[in-house]
Amino acid sequence: MRILFLCYRFNSLSQRLYCELTERGHEVSVELDVHPDLTVEAVELYKPDLVIAPFLRRKIPSEVWKKVKTLIIHPGVRGDRGPSALDWAIMRGENRWGVTLIEASDEYDAGDVWAWREFPMRFARKSSIYRLEVTEGAVECVLEAVEKFESGNFTPEPQREGVWNPKMEQSVRRIDWERDTTRDVLRKIYASDSQPGVLEQKIFDKEVLLYNAFPEEELKGRPGQVIAHRDEAVCVATTDGAVWITHMRERSKRSIKLPALRVLPELSDSVPEVQIKPWEKVEFKTYREIVCEEEGDIGFIHFNFYNGAMSTEQCQRLKEAVRYMKNRPVKAIVLLGQEDFFSNGMNLNTIEHADSPPDESWRNINAMDDLCEEILTTPDKLTVAGMQGNAGAGGVFLALTCDTVFAREGVVLNPHYKNIGNLYGSEFWTYTLPKRLGWEKGKEVMEERMPLSSKKAFEIGLIDGVFGRTPSEFREILKEKIKEFVNSPEFEEFIKRKISERTSPRWKELIKRCREEELEHMKLNFYGFDTSYHIARHYFVHRIPHFRTPPYLAIHRRLSFKG
Ligand code: COA
Ligand code: THG
């Protein structure tokens, strides 16, 4: 079938659905929501069999849905309506929630229901529920609806008599530090992550929006008082404990989301730094950016980087953790990232915020490469990347520096640097990619701009295995697989070969050359007279809406498109 996506942004859910449908033989073209007239034009040009809106905030013009069957993904249960569905579900503390595929109609979210799924609700960030439970449910709904649509004899059920929940205002999200418990504060910040954040006007010197909170069980203070900082996050006391807040944004136009201490640098002097090293054993709940964990012969490294973005300093801290693990008596080192994202490469927000973005880009890519090199130069242990969540750009190639790369089912990869101003890329991709795919196929992967499912990545040999429906299922299977291998007779032979390769002067020379050559190109991207990287980064970081749909997304807008 020919399917047209209408979306506000080509976000993670849209990308996942794109993969699922195209890999089943459908053709999918994407039109971003720029202007209703362009939406109507897209439908006229493309003449789709079906329109799907995975992530859309504006009303679809009736010219569209009167002509072509149009289905909208709503991140809520049947009967629920409105633009802040998940926010309200988290605030109300729903035990179960869901996702519903609704036919477009004149009235928002009131059309007939084509498919729906429900799931138990976790106490977690909105964006995490969206990227995991909602996304899995939405995929099932869409595949079911496509089948129903193709059968030609399905009649959808009318939307339930439901509730309209308006756009959630900041007044609902506001924290009352004198009253709210840790759980209340977490709920409010969870319900507002990744957008719009919780507006805080009282406890800091500036008005800020808060993002990404974690409970703290040890530190105490007067409610609303900032009591500590760690890894650029700040800890604020509540009525019954405290919370960590890792990210903030100044409440002003053109501000961007940053590590809390970069928004409030004065706090680094006025409150104590309470460090915890990744390898320390900690018995109470707190915020830990990087955690090293050992289970028998296997060392796991979790890195909980917000949005999978890795600043220079985070790369350095992660490298320190890898170095620690290399000196432990383990047979394997497993990089796990976090559940929503494995890694999205260097942190474009902290780069944008720096006094000199070119210099900071240079520091950040070198820190990424130092980390990658630390992994590559592990001669006597198996290294494994366990991608529980999505990865993009340098994050994919970070994973490829490991001997073995596994991903959860449903993970979406963007193994290229195209979408951020056509960067050449580094992270030793000129070593790892041809080694896995050969130069021809490797080049093809780098030239492609569209996302790739983990399943497809496995089929083409980019990664070594795909399993597990949920992050925890993935980790369980992963553990078993690694255990089996490190205790097998082949393991000794594998390590012998690895040591002889990774300690040989020829190999060392090879990766040195790869790094140097990649960085030569990157230097041009950062300092050369083609500024497309700086422009693309600026648009990305400031979340500036597209003013047209790029032809790589919109088949119907390509010169070659014949209809
Ligand atoms: N450096 C810095 N930041 C990076 C990065 C990098 N290298 N790589 C990725 N990121 C960030 C992006 O800037 C983005 O940040 P933000 O979400 O904090 O603004 C984030 O990583 C991932 O972006 P994206 O893939 O577009 O988001 P998502 O689809 O995974 O999730 C949601 C975004 C969940 C917040 C949003 O889609 C949402 O609110 N959805 C629910 C509401 C809904 O669907 N409504 C429909 C109408 S009822
Ligand atoms: N029918 C048609 N188009 C649609 C929907 C539909 N477009 C997408 C939409 N459903 C997804 N759901 C909603 C529900 C409510 C609102 C937006 C998307 C909403 N919007 C406010 C407004 O337009 O005034 C603005 C809110 C905001 O800024 O976030 O209330 O069923 N044809």
PDB file of all heavy atoms in Angstrom, residues 109-138:
ATOM      1  N   ASP A 109     -10.249  14.020  18.118  1.00  0.00           N
ATOM      2  CA  ASP A 109     -10.216  12.697  18.769  1.00  0.00           C
ATOM      3  C   ASP A 109     -11.603  12.093  19.010  1.00  0.00           C
ATOM      4  O   ASP A 109     -11.790  11.321  19.952  1.00  0.00           O
ATOM      5  CB  ASP A 109      -9.461  12.751  20.110  1.00  0.00           C
ATOM      6  CG  ASP A 109      -8.088  13.382  19.975  1.00  0.00           C
ATOM      7  OD1 ASP A 109      -7.536  13.360  18.861  1.00  0.00           O
ATOM      8  OD2 ASP A 109      -7.571  13.896  20.980  1.00  0.00           O
ATOM      9  N   ALA A 110     -12.566  12.457  18.183  1.00  0.00           N
ATOM     10  CA  ALA A 110     -13.931  11.973  18.409  1.00  0.00           C
ATOM     11  C   ALA A 110     -14.345  10.943  17.356  1.00  0.00           C
ATOM     12  O   ALA A 110     -15.431  10.377  17.427  1.00  0.00           O
ATOM     13  CB  ALA A 110     -14.909  13.155  18.395  1.00  0.00           C
ATOM     14  N   GLY A 111     -13.476  10.679  16.380  1.00  0.00           N
ATOM     15  CA  GLY A 111     -13.817   9.759  15.291  1.00  0.00           C
ATOM     16  C   GLY A 111     -13.872   8.301  15.746  1.00  0.00           C
ATOM     17  O   GLY A 111     -13.598   7.978  16.905  1.00  0.00           O
ATOM     18  N   ASP A 112     -14.220   7.414  14.801  1.00  0.00           N
ATOM     19  CA  ASP A 112     -14.357   5.988  15.115  1.00  0.00           C
ATOM     20  C   ASP A 112     -13.011   5.358  15.469  1.00  0.00           C
ATOM     21  O   ASP A 112     -11.967   5.796  15.016  1.00  0.00           O
ATOM     22  CB  ASP A 112     -14.949   5.247  13.914  1.00  0.00           C
ATOM     23  CG  ASP A 112     -16.397   5.665  13.658  1.00  0.00           C
ATOM     24  OD1 ASP A 112     -16.975   6.334  14.539  1.00  0.00           O
ATOM     25  OD2 ASP A 112     -16.921   5.333  12.574  1.00  0.00           O
ATOM     26  N   VAL A 113     -13.103   4.283  16.256  1.00  0.00           N
ATOM     27  CA  VAL A 113     -11.892   3.600  16.735  1.00  0.00           C
ATOM     28  C   VAL A 113     -11.550   2.405  15.847  1.00  0.00           C
ATOM     29  O   VAL A 113     -12.362   1.508  15.660  1.00  0.00           O
ATOM     30  CB  VAL A 113     -12.098   3.131  18.199  1.00  0.00           C
ATOM     31  CG1 VAL A 113     -10.949   2.232  18.642  1.00  0.00           C
ATOM     32  CG2 VAL A 113     -12.224   4.337  19.124  1.00  0.00           C
ATOM     33  N   TRP A 114     -10.347   2.387  15.335  1.00  0.00           N
ATOM     34  CA  TRP A 114      -9.884   1.294  14.461  1.00  0.00           C
ATOM     35  C   TRP A 114      -9.135   0.215  15.221  1.00  0.00           C
ATOM     36  O   TRP A 114      -9.129  -0.939  14.818  1.00  0.00           O
ATOM     37  CB  TRP A 114      -9.009   1.858  13.337  1.00  0.00           C
ATOM     38  CG  TRP A 114      -9.849   2.346  12.215  1.00  0.00           C
ATOM     39  CD1 TRP A 114     -10.675   3.430  12.229  1.00  0.00           C
ATOM     40  CD2 TRP A 114      -9.990   1.726  10.936  1.00  0.00           C
ATOM     41  NE1 TRP A 114     -11.325   3.533  11.025  1.00  0.00           N
ATOM     42  CE2 TRP A 114     -10.915   2.507  10.205  1.00  0.00           C
ATOM     43  CE3 TRP A 114      -9.417   0.612  10.308  1.00  0.00           C
ATOM     44  CZ2 TRP A 114     -11.293   2.189   8.898  1.00  0.00           C
ATOM     45  CZ3 TRP A 114      -9.783   0.305   9.011  1.00  0.00           C
ATOM     46  CH2 TRP A 114     -10.719   1.078   8.316  1.00  0.00           C
ATOM     47  N   ALA A 115      -8.447   0.600  16.256  1.00  0.00           N
ATOM     48  CA  ALA A 115      -7.698  -0.384  17.051  1.00  0.00           C
ATOM     49  C   ALA A 115      -7.295   0.278  18.356  1.00  0.00           C
ATOM     50  O   ALA A 115      -7.233   1.501  18.448  1.00  0.00           O
ATOM     51  CB  ALA A 115      -6.450  -0.851  16.296  1.00  0.00           C
ATOM     52  N   TRP A 116      -7.016  -0.529  19.373  1.00  0.00           N
ATOM     53  CA  TRP A 116      -6.559   0.035  20.650  1.00  0.00           C
ATOM     54  C   TRP A 116      -5.787  -1.015  21.429  1.00  0.00           C
ATOM     55  O   TRP A 116      -5.936  -2.221  21.195  1.00  0.00           O
ATOM     56  CB  TRP A 116      -7.741   0.547  21.477  1.00  0.00           C
ATOM     57  CG  TRP A 116      -8.825  -0.477  21.662  1.00  0.00           C
ATOM     58  CD1 TRP A 116      -9.827  -0.756  20.795  1.00  0.00           C
ATOM     59  CD2 TRP A 116      -8.978  -1.383  22.765  1.00  0.00           C
ATOM     60  NE1 TRP A 116     -10.605  -1.779  21.284  1.00  0.00           N
ATOM     61  CE2 TRP A 116     -10.110  -2.171  22.494  1.00  0.00           C
ATOM     62  CE3 TRP A 116      -8.277  -1.571  23.959  1.00  0.00           C
ATOM     63  CZ2 TRP A 116     -10.555  -3.169  23.372  1.00  0.00           C
ATOM     64  CZ3 TRP A 116      -8.713  -2.553  24.841  1.00  0.00           C
ATOM     65  CH2 TRP A 116      -9.855  -3.332  24.528  1.00  0.00           C
ATOM     66  N   ARG A 117      -4.936  -0.566  22.304  1.00  0.00           N
ATOM     67  CA  ARG A 117      -4.167  -1.440  23.197  1.00  0.00           C
ATOM     68  C   ARG A 117      -4.132  -0.787  24.564  1.00  0.00           C
ATOM     69  O   ARG A 117      -4.172   0.436  24.682  1.00  0.00           O
ATOM     70  CB  ARG A 117      -2.720  -1.603  22.706  1.00  0.00           C
ATOM     71  CG  ARG A 117      -2.565  -2.410  21.424  1.00  0.00           C
ATOM     72  CD  ARG A 117      -2.878  -3.888  21.642  1.00  0.00           C
ATOM     73  NE  ARG A 117      -2.634  -4.682  20.454  1.00  0.00           N
ATOM     74  CZ  ARG A 117      -3.473  -4.801  19.418  1.00  0.00           C
ATOM     75  NH1 ARG A 117      -4.642  -4.166  19.419  1.00  0.00           N
ATOM     76  NH2 ARG A 117      -3.158  -5.547  18.385  1.00  0.00           N
ATOM     77  N   GLU A 118      -4.013  -1.635  25.599  1.00  0.00           N
ATOM     78  CA  GLU A 118      -3.841  -1.094  26.948  1.00  0.00           C
ATOM     79  C   GLU A 118      -2.609  -1.711  27.584  1.00  0.00           C
ATOM     80  O   GLU A 118      -2.164  -2.778  27.175  1.00  0.00           O
ATOM     81  CB  GLU A 118      -5.088  -1.371  27.792  1.00  0.00           C
ATOM     82  CG  GLU A 118      -6.254  -0.502  27.365  1.00  0.00           C
ATOM     83  CD  GLU A 118      -7.447  -0.607  28.300  1.00  0.00           C
ATOM     84  OE1 GLU A 118      -7.363  -1.315  29.333  1.00  0.00           O
ATOM     85  OE2 GLU A 118      -8.467   0.028  27.989  1.00  0.00           O
ATOM     86  N   PHE A 119      -2.051  -1.022  28.567  1.00  0.00           N
ATOM     87  CA  PHE A 119      -0.857  -1.527  29.246  1.00  0.00           C
ATOM     88  C   PHE A 119      -0.860  -1.042  30.687  1.00  0.00           C
ATOM     89  O   PHE A 119      -1.472  -0.009  30.992  1.00  0.00           O
ATOM     90  CB  PHE A 119       0.414  -1.060  28.518  1.00  0.00           C
ATOM     91  CG  PHE A 119       0.433   0.419  28.193  1.00  0.00           C
ATOM     92  CD1 PHE A 119       0.763   1.358  29.164  1.00  0.00           C
ATOM     93  CD2 PHE A 119       0.100   0.877  26.913  1.00  0.00           C
ATOM     94  CE1 PHE A 119       0.780   2.716  28.863  1.00  0.00           C
ATOM     95  CE2 PHE A 119       0.112   2.232  26.614  1.00  0.00           C
ATOM     96  CZ  PHE A 119       0.450   3.149  27.592  1.00  0.00           C
ATOM     97  N   PRO A 120      -0.183  -1.778  31.582  1.00  0.00           N
ATOM     98  CA  PRO A 120      -0.043  -1.272  32.953  1.00  0.00           C
ATOM     99  C   PRO A 120       0.874  -0.058  32.940  1.00  0.00           C
ATOM    100  O   PRO A 120       1.841  -0.015  32.186  1.00  0.00           O
ATOM    101  CB  PRO A 120       0.589  -2.439  33.716  1.00  0.00           C
ATOM    102  CG  PRO A 120       1.121  -3.373  32.689  1.00  0.00           C
ATOM    103  CD  PRO A 120       0.447  -3.091  31.391  1.00  0.00           C
ATOM    104  N   MET A 121       0.545   0.910  33.762  1.00  0.00           N
ATOM    105  CA  MET A 121       1.292   2.165  33.747  1.00  0.00           C
ATOM    106  C   MET A 121       2.467   2.071  34.712  1.00  0.00           C
ATOM    107  O   MET A 121       2.308   1.638  35.850  1.00  0.00           O
ATOM    108  CB  MET A 121       0.323   3.260  34.180  1.00  0.00           C
ATOM    109  CG  MET A 121       0.797   4.644  33.962  1.00  0.00           C
ATOM    110  SD  MET A 121       0.939   5.055  32.233  1.00  0.00           S
ATOM    111  CE  MET A 121       0.592   6.809  32.359  1.00  0.00           C
ATOM    112  N   ARG A 122       3.645   2.504  34.255  1.00  0.00           N
ATOM    113  CA  ARG A 122       4.803   2.629  35.147  1.00  0.00           C
ATOM    114  C   ARG A 122       4.811   4.028  35.747  1.00  0.00           C
ATOM    115  O   ARG A 122       4.309   4.970  35.134  1.00  0.00           O
ATOM    116  CB  ARG A 122       6.102   2.497  34.345  1.00  0.00           C
ATOM    117  CG  ARG A 122       6.599   1.119  34.092  1.00  0.00           C
ATOM    118  CD  ARG A 122       7.901   1.171  33.309  1.00  0.00           C
ATOM    119  NE  ARG A 122       7.780   1.843  32.017  1.00  0.00           N
ATOM    120  CZ  ARG A 122       8.694   2.668  31.517  1.00  0.00           C
ATOM    121  NH1 ARG A 122       9.779   2.973  32.205  1.00  0.00           N
ATOM    122  NH2 ARG A 122       8.531   3.216  30.326  1.00  0.00           N
ATOM    123  N   PHE A 123       5.441   4.175  36.911  1.00  0.00           N
ATOM    124  CA  PHE A 123       5.652   5.509  37.468  1.00  0.00           C
ATOM    125  C   PHE A 123       6.954   6.014  36.858  1.00  0.00           C
ATOM    126  O   PHE A 123       8.045   5.729  37.357  1.00  0.00           O
ATOM    127  CB  PHE A 123       5.738   5.436  38.996  1.00  0.00           C
ATOM    128  CG  PHE A 123       5.744   6.789  39.662  1.00  0.00           C
ATOM    129  CD1 PHE A 123       4.735   7.712  39.426  1.00  0.00           C
ATOM    130  CD2 PHE A 123       6.764   7.136  40.540  1.00  0.00           C
ATOM    131  CE1 PHE A 123       4.740   8.958  40.041  1.00  0.00           C
ATOM    132  CE2 PHE A 123       6.777   8.379  41.165  1.00  0.00           C
ATOM    133  CZ  PHE A 123       5.768   9.287  40.899  1.00  0.00           C
ATOM    134  N   ALA A 124       6.847   6.705  35.736  1.00  0.00           N
ATOM    135  CA  ALA A 124       8.045   7.078  34.967  1.00  0.00           C
ATOM    136  C   ALA A 124       7.764   8.323  34.149  1.00  0.00           C
ATOM    137  O   ALA A 124       6.624   8.770  34.026  1.00  0.00           O
ATOM    138  CB  ALA A 124       8.455   5.933  34.051  1.00  0.00           C
ATOM    139  N   ARG A 125       8.815   8.846  33.558  1.00  0.00           N
ATOM    140  CA  ARG A 125       8.702  10.022  32.701  1.00  0.00           C
ATOM    141  C   ARG A 125       7.725   9.784  31.558  1.00  0.00           C
ATOM    142  O   ARG A 125       7.737   8.732  30.941  1.00  0.00           O
ATOM    143  CB  ARG A 125      10.069  10.331  32.059  1.00  0.00           C
ATOM    144  CG  ARG A 125      11.092  10.969  32.938  1.00  0.00           C
ATOM    145  CD  ARG A 125      12.224  11.499  32.065  1.00  0.00           C
ATOM    146  NE  ARG A 125      12.524  10.583  30.978  1.00  0.00           N
ATOM    147  CZ  ARG A 125      13.629   9.868  30.875  1.00  0.00           C
ATOM    148  NH1 ARG A 125      14.550   9.950  31.797  1.00  0.00           N
ATOM    149  NH2 ARG A 125      13.831   9.080  29.850  1.00  0.00           N
ATOM    150  N   LYS A 126       6.973  10.813  31.226  1.00  0.00           N
ATOM    151  CA  LYS A 126       6.062  10.748  30.084  1.00  0.00           C
ATOM    152  C   LYS A 126       6.777  10.275  28.821  1.00  0.00           C
ATOM    153  O   LYS A 126       6.288   9.408  28.100  1.00  0.00           O
ATOM    154  CB  LYS A 126       5.448  12.135  29.835  1.00  0.00           C
ATOM    155  CG  LYS A 126       4.661  12.227  28.546  1.00  0.00           C
ATOM    156  CD  LYS A 126       3.975  13.571  28.362  1.00  0.00           C
ATOM    157  CE  LYS A 126       4.926  14.716  28.114  1.00  0.00           C
ATOM    158  NZ  LYS A 126       4.217  15.959  27.716  1.00  0.00           N
ATOM    159  N   SER A 127       7.956  10.847  28.572  1.00  0.00           N
ATOM    160  CA  SER A 127       8.668  10.505  27.337  1.00  0.00           C
ATOM    161  C   SER A 127       9.084   9.036  27.326  1.00  0.00           C
ATOM    162  O   SER A 127       9.140   8.412  26.265  1.00  0.00           O
ATOM    163  CB  SER A 127       9.881  11.409  27.163  1.00  0.00           C
ATOM    164  OG  SER A 127      10.642  11.462  28.343  1.00  0.00           O
ATOM    165  N   SER A 128       9.343   8.486  28.495  1.00  0.00           N
ATOM    166  CA  SER A 128       9.735   7.082  28.564  1.00  0.00           C
ATOM    167  C   SER A 128       8.526   6.177  28.280  1.00  0.00           C
ATOM    168  O   SER A 128       8.637   5.195  27.540  1.00  0.00           O
ATOM    169  CB  SER A 128      10.326   6.780  29.943  1.00  0.00           C
ATOM    170  OG  SER A 128      10.725   5.434  30.002  1.00  0.00           O
ATOM    171  N   ILE A 129       7.371   6.512  28.868  1.00  0.00           N
ATOM    172  CA  ILE A 129       6.132   5.755  28.575  1.00  0.00           C
ATOM    173  C   ILE A 129       5.834   5.841  27.078  1.00  0.00           C
ATOM    174  O   ILE A 129       5.458   4.859  26.437  1.00  0.00           O
ATOM    175  CB  ILE A 129       4.919   6.365  29.340  1.00  0.00           C
ATOM    176  CG1 ILE A 129       5.204   6.480  30.836  1.00  0.00           C
ATOM    177  CG2 ILE A 129       3.640   5.585  29.047  1.00  0.00           C
ATOM    178  CD1 ILE A 129       5.047   5.251  31.634  1.00  0.00           C
ATOM    179  N   TYR A 130       6.039   7.022  26.533  1.00  0.00           N
ATOM    180  CA  TYR A 130       5.763   7.247  25.117  1.00  0.00           C
ATOM    181  C   TYR A 130       6.694   6.418  24.241  1.00  0.00           C
ATOM    182  O   TYR A 130       6.275   5.787  23.284  1.00  0.00           O
ATOM    183  CB  TYR A 130       5.946   8.739  24.824  1.00  0.00           C
ATOM    184  CG  TYR A 130       5.635   9.164  23.410  1.00  0.00           C
ATOM    185  CD1 TYR A 130       4.321   9.380  23.005  1.00  0.00           C
ATOM    186  CD2 TYR A 130       6.653   9.368  22.486  1.00  0.00           C
ATOM    187  CE1 TYR A 130       4.038   9.782  21.704  1.00  0.00           C
ATOM    188  CE2 TYR A 130       6.373   9.776  21.189  1.00  0.00           C
ATOM    189  CZ  TYR A 130       5.065   9.984  20.807  1.00  0.00           C
ATOM    190  OH  TYR A 130       4.789  10.381  19.531  1.00  0.00           O
ATOM    191  N   ARG A 131       7.983   6.410  24.587  1.00  0.00           N
ATOM    192  CA  ARG A 131       8.963   5.715  23.741  1.00  0.00           C
ATOM    193  C   ARG A 131       8.898   4.204  23.895  1.00  0.00           C
ATOM    194  O   ARG A 131       9.350   3.487  23.009  1.00  0.00           O
ATOM    195  CB  ARG A 131      10.377   6.206  24.079  1.00  0.00           C
ATOM    196  CG  ARG A 131      10.615   7.615  23.596  1.00  0.00           C
ATOM    197  CD  ARG A 131      11.856   8.244  24.168  1.00  0.00           C
ATOM    198  NE  ARG A 131      11.883   9.667  23.855  1.00  0.00           N
ATOM    199  CZ  ARG A 131      12.486  10.584  24.587  1.00  0.00           C
ATOM    200  NH1 ARG A 131      13.107  10.252  25.697  1.00  0.00           N
ATOM    201  NH2 ARG A 131      12.453  11.842  24.236  1.00  0.00           N
ATOM    202  N   LEU A 132       8.367   3.713  25.010  1.00  0.00           N
ATOM    203  CA  LEU A 132       8.307   2.266  25.194  1.00  0.00           C
ATOM    204  C   LEU A 132       6.867   1.759  25.047  1.00  0.00           C
ATOM    205  O   LEU A 132       6.490   1.294  23.986  1.00  0.00           O
ATOM    206  CB  LEU A 132       8.939   1.869  26.532  1.00  0.00           C
ATOM    207  CG  LEU A 132      10.446   2.166  26.608  1.00  0.00           C
ATOM    208  CD1 LEU A 132      11.001   2.048  28.014  1.00  0.00           C
ATOM    209  CD2 LEU A 132      11.231   1.237  25.676  1.00  0.00           C
ATOM    210  N   GLU A 133       6.030   1.903  26.075  1.00  0.00           N
ATOM    211  CA  GLU A 133       4.696   1.299  26.045  1.00  0.00           C
ATOM    212  C   GLU A 133       3.827   1.846  24.917  1.00  0.00           C
ATOM    213  O   GLU A 133       3.177   1.090  24.189  1.00  0.00           O
ATOM    214  CB  GLU A 133       3.974   1.496  27.389  1.00  0.00           C
ATOM    215  CG  GLU A 133       4.495   0.623  28.523  1.00  0.00           C
ATOM    216  CD  GLU A 133       5.664   1.246  29.269  1.00  0.00           C
ATOM    217  OE1 GLU A 133       6.278   2.218  28.752  1.00  0.00           O
ATOM    218  OE2 GLU A 133       5.964   0.769  30.384  1.00  0.00           O
ATOM    219  N   VAL A 134       3.759   3.168  24.784  1.00  0.00           N
ATOM    220  CA  VAL A 134       2.893   3.758  23.760  1.00  0.00           C
ATOM    221  C   VAL A 134       3.367   3.335  22.368  1.00  0.00           C
ATOM    222  O   VAL A 134       2.571   2.962  21.501  1.00  0.00           O
ATOM    223  CB  VAL A 134       2.847   5.301  23.875  1.00  0.00           C
ATOM    224  CG1 VAL A 134       2.152   5.925  22.664  1.00  0.00           C
ATOM    225  CG2 VAL A 134       2.135   5.722  25.161  1.00  0.00           C
ATOM    226  N   THR A 135       4.677   3.362  22.162  1.00  0.00           N
ATOM    227  CA  THR A 135       5.213   3.011  20.851  1.00  0.00           C
ATOM    228  C   THR A 135       4.892   1.554  20.501  1.00  0.00           C
ATOM    229  O   THR A 135       4.415   1.267  19.397  1.00  0.00           O
ATOM    230  CB  THR A 135       6.735   3.275  20.817  1.00  0.00           C
ATOM    231  OG1 THR A 135       6.944   4.677  20.996  1.00  0.00           O
ATOM    232  CG2 THR A 135       7.350   2.854  19.500  1.00  0.00           C
ATOM    233  N   GLU A 136       5.122   0.634  21.447  1.00  0.00           N
ATOM    234  CA  GLU A 136       4.814  -0.782  21.163  1.00  0.00           C
ATOM    235  C   GLU A 136       3.331  -0.966  20.857  1.00  0.00           C
ATOM    236  O   GLU A 136       2.960  -1.670  19.909  1.00  0.00           O
ATOM    237  CB  GLU A 136       5.223  -1.681  22.349  1.00  0.00           C
ATOM    238  CG  GLU A 136       6.720  -1.747  22.631  1.00  0.00           C
ATOM    239  CD  GLU A 136       7.569  -2.134  21.416  1.00  0.00           C
ATOM    240  OE1 GLU A 136       7.124  -2.979  20.608  1.00  0.00           O
ATOM    241  OE2 GLU A 136       8.670  -1.573  21.267  1.00  0.00           O
ATOM    242  N   GLY A 137       2.478  -0.323  21.656  1.00  0.00           N
ATOM    243  CA  GLY A 137       1.033  -0.434  21.439  1.00  0.00           C
ATOM    244  C   GLY A 137       0.627   0.165  20.102  1.00  0.00           C
ATOM    245  O   GLY A 137      -0.200  -0.404  19.372  1.00  0.00           O
ATOM    246  N   ALA A 138       1.217   1.284  19.766  1.00  0.00           N
ATOM    247  CA  ALA A 138       0.868   1.974  18.523  1.00  0.00           C
ATOM    248  C   ALA A 138       1.247   1.128  17.307  1.00  0.00           C
ATOM    249  O   ALA A 138       0.499   1.057  16.326  1.00  0.00           O
ATOM    250  CB  ALA A 138       1.559   3.336  18.458  1.00  0.00           C
TER     251      ALA A 138
END
